[in-house]
Amino acid sequence: MRRSLYRGHLPSSPVQKVVAACGSAVASLWDPRRGDMIGTLGEVTGRVALEKLRRRLLASEAGRALLRERPLIEIAAPRRAGPPTPGSFGAEYEAFMARHGFHAEDRSPVALVDDEELAYVLLRYRQVHDYWHVLCGLPPTLLGELALKWFELVQTELPVAAFSAVFGPLRLSPKDRRALRTTYLPWALREGRNATFLLEVSYERHLHTPIDDFRQASTS
């Protein structure tokens, strides 16, 4: 029997991972609202990309600190340093979450990645998703999500981002598909390349940073 490597870990064989990958891909295409299936797909297909992300994190002091400290984004986290200053990144994040009825702890835990540190890298990627919405100024609409998925693909090279970016447009109206192709896709490719490596950013230390300053420092 395979040994559990971290809390919530579900050990699985290569064959089981292939079956999970195929099943979750089909289920995600059949019903794109199945976030659990998209999450499973990300866990069983992302090993190579996650290892590359870990190497990038280990190459910088900020990344090494992230892997050492392993911060988690929680409901109360933005207010631990006091109420966010109006116009700050923290204030914009709180407004975004409240406006759309999101909660910081909604992101599902990782279970199928057979490496504790890589599991944290994937969890961090999931948890900073809403931070990236705020930084990029993208709404959580289908069009906004797809634009962000292309941005994430350039930044992370994760297969699950590629899956969403390639197959997601099938659900768009012709008008939105044209907007994605002519406006959002060029933006995502350009900004994804030009931005700093956003996975290593310590967002918790920038909650009081003016949002315009943080965007300029991070995404240009």
Side-chain angles (χ1 to χ4, degrees), residues 45-54 118 121 156-159:
T45 62
R47 176 82 187 209
V48 173
L50 288 171
E51 289 178 343
K52 184 175 181 180
L53 289 173
R54 174 165 62 183
L118 294 183
V121 173
T156 69
E157 300 180 8
L158 283 167

Side-chain angles (χ1 to χ4, degrees), residues 52-70:
K52 184 175 181 180
L53 289 173
R54 174 165 62 183
R55 288 195 296 270
R56 291 188 68 184
L57 289 169
L58 289 171
S60 71
E61 179 54 41
R64 290 191 294 272
L66 182 76
L67 292 177
R68 185 171 59 250
E69 299 168 8
R70 298 190 184 184

